[in-house]
Amino acid sequence: MDHRALPAPEFTSDAAYRAPRTPQEELPAGVFAQLLGVERVGIDDNFLDLGGHSLLATWPISRIRTVLSVEGRSVWCSRRRPTRDRPRT
């Protein structure tokens, strides 16, 4: 199979777009949008669904940790608990 002949993948999120509401949400959303080359990243978007991967995630962690004054693990592992309108994925 000639992988170069394949079309470029299109990464999208299944989540309805909800804009970041606070500076703490705006910073990572902006960093991830720039990093992934997408127009915008919403608060419910999944980094991996948008084309991110573990190696790509290492780049913005230093910036986010510095600006938000948080440890990297808390940035990446802050999974929100499921709610009625946001079930577990």
Side-chain angles (χ1 to χ4, degrees), residues 17-88:
Y17 178 74
R18 290 195 317 150
R21 302 162 294 194
T22 65
Q24 290 79 12
E25 292 176 347
E26 289 173 359
L27 174 67
V31 170
F32 292 142
Q34 179 184 11
L35 178 66
L36 297 169
V38 296
E39 184 178 329
R40 63 186 186 186
V41 173
I43 61 172
D44 297 314
D45 288 336
N46 183 301
F47 179 74
L48 301 175
D49 290 345
L50 294 175
H53 52 78
S54 59
L55 295 176
L56 193 59
T58 61
W59 177 80
I61 195 157
S62 175
R63 174 163 167 69
I64 293 171
R65 285 175 63 183
T66 300
V67 174
L68 295 181
S69 299
V70 296
E71 289 302 316
R73 183 165 174 79
S74 65
V75 170
W76 304 112
C77 298
S78 62
R79 301 185 109 183
R80 289 182 274 174
R81 293 184 181 169
T83 63
R84 263 184 227 174
D85 53 278
R86 189 180 55 244
R88 185 179 304 276

